[in-house]
């Protein structure tokens, strides 16, 4: 059953796992750094927000929706010139980080916006009545109160990125998806494909468990 697992194949699996970990970790981190402020902006400028601004909200919201609506496999190909401009190449692990980040940021933004909507409006009104500035309301009321929801959203984003990273293997992005396609599919080695899928399942389970644990801890502060 596992006769194809030579020492070379085990090394390839290990290298591919680290590439997947790198792609998901870096793109998730950068996507979060872009998506969280974007989500805060969308909430603040939305109807009833403390910086209500319809045109700005609709413009940014349209861009976010457009990126979220684009299938990832098409996004991978469509932004190859941008990927090549940033990383100097359109293939490889670093190159895959660019489309993964662009896919993650708007996704995180909408999840953060949704989490911020759950914050009790009375807390915001109380902060405003005490003379708190917009920055103080964001840092001391909105983000702390919505933190469990934001962490839950980031967990979903990391899980989604794991699936996207496997898809990035279709254009030479490296990682477990690339290994599964090259050896499991193109060379028809079903045992390699099976092991890749099992590793990805456990990988996602670990991410989800860590995220759930963090949400429970933050919810019981």
């Amino acid at each position: 059953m596992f006769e194809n697992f030579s020492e070379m194949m085990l090394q390839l699996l290990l290298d591919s796992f680290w590439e997947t970990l790198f792609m998901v970790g870096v793109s998730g981190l950068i996507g979060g750094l872009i998506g969280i402020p974007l989500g805060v902006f969308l909430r603040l400028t939305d109807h009833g927000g403390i910086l209500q601004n319809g045109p700005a909200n609709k413009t940014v919201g349209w861009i976010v929706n457009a990126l979220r609506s684009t299938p990832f496999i098409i996004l991978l190909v469509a932004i190859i010139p941008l990927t090549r401009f940033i990383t100097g190449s359109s293939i490889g692990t670093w190159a895959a980080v660019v489309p993964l980040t662009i896919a993650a940021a708007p996704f995180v933004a909408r999840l953060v916006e949704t989490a911020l909507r759950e914050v009790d409006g009375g807390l915001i009104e109380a902060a405003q009545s005490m003379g708190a500035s917009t920055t103080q309301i964001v840092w001391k009321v909105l983000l702390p109160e919505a933190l469990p929801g934001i962490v839950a959203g980031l967990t979903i984003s990391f899980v989604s990125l794991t699936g996207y990273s496997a898809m990035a293997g279709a254009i030479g992005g490296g990682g477990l998806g690339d290994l599964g396609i090259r050896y499991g599919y193109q060379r028809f080695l079903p045992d390699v494909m099976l092991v890749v899928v099992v590793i990805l399942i456990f990988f996602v389970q670990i991410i989800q468990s860590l995220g759930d644990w963090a949400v429970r801890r933050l919810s019981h502060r």
Side-chain angles (χ1 to χ4, degrees):
M1 177 65 183
F2 295 102
E3 63 273 8
N4 295 307
F5 279 88
S6 61
E7 187 175 338
M8 182 203 76
M9 182 58 68
L10 291 174
Q11 186 61 48
L12 275 175
L13 264 175
L14 186 62
D15 292 343
S16 299
F17 174 76
W18 285 118
E19 287 173 356
T20 295
L21 190 64
F22 176 80
M23 285 190 288
V24 173
V26 173
S27 58
L29 181 64
I30 301 175
L33 291 176
I34 299 172
I36 291 174
L38 205 53
V40 171
F41 176 84
L42 287 170
R43 178 65 192 109
L44 293 180
T45 57
D46 196 8
H47 179 72
I50 56 180
L51 295 177
Q52 183 175 326
N53 186 326
N57 183 275
K58 286 180 180 175
T59 301
V60 175
W62 188 90
I63 295 171
V64 167
N65 289 340
L67 289 172
R68 287 185 61 206
S69 303
T70 306
F72 183 66
I73 192 69
I74 294 176
L75 182 68
L76 271 172
V77 177
I79 65 165
I80 281 178
L82 175 65
T83 302
R84 193 175 288 133
F85 174 75
I86 294 175
T87 66
S89 173
S90 60
I91 59 173
T93 306
W94 270 111
V97 168
V98 177
L100 285 170
T101 301
I102 292 177
F107 189 61
V108 171
R110 283 301 186 195
L111 293 172
V112 169
E113 182 192 12
T114 302
L116 293 175
R117 287 182 188 279
E118 301 299 320
V119 177
D120 186 356
L123 292 174
I124 299 172
E125 291 176 5
Q128 286 178 312
S129 67
M130 289 187 286
S133 64
T134 301
T135 304
Q136 289 173 321
I137 291 173
V138 169
W139 284 103
K140 296 185 178 181
V141 179
L142 283 175
L143 290 178
E145 289 296 321
L147 194 54
I150 292 173
V151 172
L154 289 174
T155 303
I156 295 172
S157 302
F158 275 102
V159 170
S160 299
L161 281 173
T162 303
Y164 289 165
S165 74
M167 211 182 299
I171 63 165
L176 290 168
D178 184 39
L179 185 71
I181 291 170
R182 283 192 293 123
Y183 287 87
Y185 177 68
Q186 294 175 346
R187 301 187 187 186
F188 195 63
L189 300 177
D191 50 349
V192 175
M193 181 69 83
L194 176 63
V195 170
V196 166
V197 171
V198 170
I199 292 174
L200 286 172
I201 290 172
F202 276 100
F203 188 67
V204 167
Q205 289 291 333
I206 291 171
I207 293 174
Q208 189 64 56
S209 298
L210 287 174
D212 291 343
W213 174 80
V215 170
R216 285 195 299 273
R217 290 293 301 268
L218 291 168
S219 298
H220 293 97
R221 289 177 302 169

